[in-house]
Amino acid sequence: MKSLFVSILLGIHLGCVFLFNLSGIMQSYGLLHSLHTHSTFNQIQSLLLQYLSKPYIRYYGDCSGASTLYGFFAPRVGSQYLTRFTLYNANQQAIAHLTVPLLHSQEGIMRYARLLDVFEPLVKQPTDTTSFDQRYAKAIFHNLLVSIGRQYPEAKSISGCIYLCTISTRLAFSHPSAIRLVPIYQHQLSVR
Amino acid sequence: MAYFRLHILADSTGFLNRLRRCTAFIACLALLGLGTDYFILLPPNSLVDGQLLQLQGHAPMPNIYQLADLAHSHFGIPTVHFSTLVYVSYMACCLLLFFSVGTTWIAWLLLCIHISLFTALPQYSYGADYFLHILLFYCCIFHVAKKLSAGSVLVCQRCFRIHLCLVYFFSGLDKALGATWWNGQAIWKTLQLPYFNTWFGNWLAHLPHGLLALSGIAIVMLELSYPLALFNRRIRPLLVYGALVLHVCTALFMKLYFFALVMMAFNFIAWFTVSSLRFTQQSIYHFNTRPGRKSRPTEQTP
């Protein structure tokens, strides 16, 4: 009887894992085929989202990790963002160039790379400067500049640039470097 | 029947021990892997202001910044000391969990600290954090289930295996939806991404395009067919060892060391029992002693 009780609870848990990921797969499909007009598909998707956005389901998903989606590098590999910071002294001479600020471990760098995903709205909605996501991305960058500048007592000002790293497709690849860095946002401020 | 029951119980106990020890070991590495960067990414010297980070994302419990503020305002603990305290508590919980001291409560405490540190702020979290979160959650509930009834541990092991199959299946299905995993472009692009770029990856990226396409298709097929490991014992070793090779490759070619380790541990906990290791040993022995092949004198019959 107790085994049956445990089985039912674990079955519900696995059901949650399944439904969260099903919803993720449907979103991926919608992303790839944005012009599709399958009304049944849309109905199922909206019902699923409605069910999964219920507070107690959402809370359980976050606590148990059931809401984790498993589509790594899927359905396609996204672009990465890079940063470059230059620190200047009182004579406006560059005293340091940084790409990854102050981090040493591979784990730390991975997490920094993950943080840079907040800059996506600067590319996706370049004209909508009033949107929350875009203002948030700029605020994060401003904050990064301030905290890096604080680590260098001799620095008077700091400038930084965010680049979108685009990679040419293999078939179109004919020049030595397949990676192209496109500057998407620049900012400069005085530290002290 | 008695032998069967004994076998099940022995295997189940092994499963819980593997889960507990592997989870504690990996959680310990999660923090050790960060090194001094822990104090750069998180308070008090955090790269990005905590209040700004908290504007995005929702978490089931307070994150490290909120806890630090709480500790400062209510108990007067300076943020720097609080961060160190959290670090030491996390490591102590890992050690206690590894040596099975107060397993259930320690596992819950470790899960709470893990959420506050790693997954409550999605801006800094990636796949490995979420998988470690899942392992910790299973550590908590499976030890509670064990207290309910001994037979339920076998149910827990099945649940863990089904979850792992869902992980690979959905990962494969998501990849299969996009064209780039079928034509090799995804592999090429992944190996070129700046933060994942390695010497090995560069070397692999310059292989003929057909080989890249083939490896992309192989990954999708492996992930989609992984659930067959649940039902078919014959192809199980092929799928599980295939997944292990895939994770070794992600570590070598993409510098995703910790993520690879977590996934390998997931596979190890789910499928590798003492009897399965013995089975592997026997297979190697029979392979080496089959007719027309000389066995090495150092090998012993298991």
Side-chain angles (χ1 to χ4, degrees), chain B residues 93-115:
Chain B
C93 285
C94 292
L95 278 176
L96 292 174
L97 187 66
F98 189 88
F99 292 110
S100 191
V101 182
T103 308
T104 310
W105 294 109
I106 290 296
W108 281 110
L109 181 62
L110 192 56
L111 176 67
C112 291
I113 305 177
H114 181 81
I115 293 174

Side-chain angles (χ1 to χ4, degrees), chain B residues 63-286:
Chain B
N63 57 50
I64 180 78
Y65 292 95
Q66 288 166 328
L67 290 179
D69 284 346
L70 218 68
H72 185 65
S73 58
H74 287 266
F75 306 105
I77 303 172
T79 314
V80 65
H81 291 168
F82 182 77
S83 279
T84 315
L85 187 73
V86 170
Y87 190 97
V88 173
S89 312
Y90 191 90
M91 294 305 269
C93 285
C94 292
L95 278 176
L96 292 174
L97 187 66
F98 189 88
F99 292 110
S100 191
V101 182
T103 308
T104 310
W105 294 109
I106 290 296
W108 281 110
L109 181 62
L110 192 56
L111 176 67
C112 291
I113 305 177
H114 181 81
I115 293 174
S116 296
L117 270 180
F118 294 111
T119 53
L121 292 169
Q123 293 94 334
Y124 283 144
S125 329
Y126 74 110
D129 298 321
Y130 294 107
F131 278 108
L132 186 52
H133 179 160
I134 294 167
L135 282 178
L136 282 167
F137 178 76
Y138 279 141
C139 243
C140 300
I141 59 160
F142 288 175
H143 278 90
V144 173
K146 184 185 156 193
K147 283 173 189 169
L148 281 178
S149 74
S152 59
V153 179
L154 199 68
V155 178
C156 296
Q157 190 176 17
R158 287 218 180 108
C159 166
F160 192 83
R161 286 177 174 181
I162 295 171
H163 193 150
L164 187 60
C165 290
L166 286 176
V167 169
Y168 283 106
F169 177 73
F170 277 109
S171 178
L173 189 63
D174 216 355
K175 287 183 178 82
L177 287 178
T180 55
W181 279 95
W182 298 100
N183 60 22
Q185 295 294 348
I187 297 272
W188 154 255
K189 204 173 171 183
T190 308
L191 295 171
Q192 296 291 316
L193 287 172
Y195 290 110
F196 300 129
N197 198 259
T198 61
W199 180 86
F200 277 126
N202 275 337
W203 172 79
L204 194 75
H206 286 88
L207 288 177
H209 192 75
L211 278 178
L212 292 186
L214 213 63
S215 44
I217 294 168
I219 290 171
V220 174
M221 295 315 286
L222 174 76
E223 292 188 334
L224 280 176
S225 58
Y226 194 89
L228 293 177
L230 266 181
F231 313 107
N232 196 326
R233 275 168 186 264
R234 276 171 175 247
I235 60 163
R236 186 182 292 169
L238 185 77
L239 294 167
V240 175
Y241 285 118
L244 291 180
V245 169
L246 171 69
H247 296 306
V248 169
C249 289
T250 54
L252 282 178
F253 299 130
M254 295 168 66
K255 293 194 273 189
L256 284 167
Y257 309 116
F258 186 58
F259 180 75
L261 191 72
V262 175
M263 291 313 296
M264 284 161 84
F266 232 107
N267 276 284
F268 176 74
I269 297 164
W271 306 109
F272 285 76
T273 59
V274 176
S275 55
S276 74
L277 289 175
R278 203 174 290 144
F279 169 76
T280 312
Q281 215 180 349
Q282 271 175 350
S283 309
I284 294 166
Y285 173 77
H286 286 306

Side-chain angles (χ1 to χ4, degrees), chain A residues 13 25 35 49 70 83 90 121 124 169 187:
Chain A
H13 171 72
I25 287 286
L35 298 176
L49 285 175
Y70 307 126
T83 48
K124 291 271 162 75
T169 57
H187 193 54

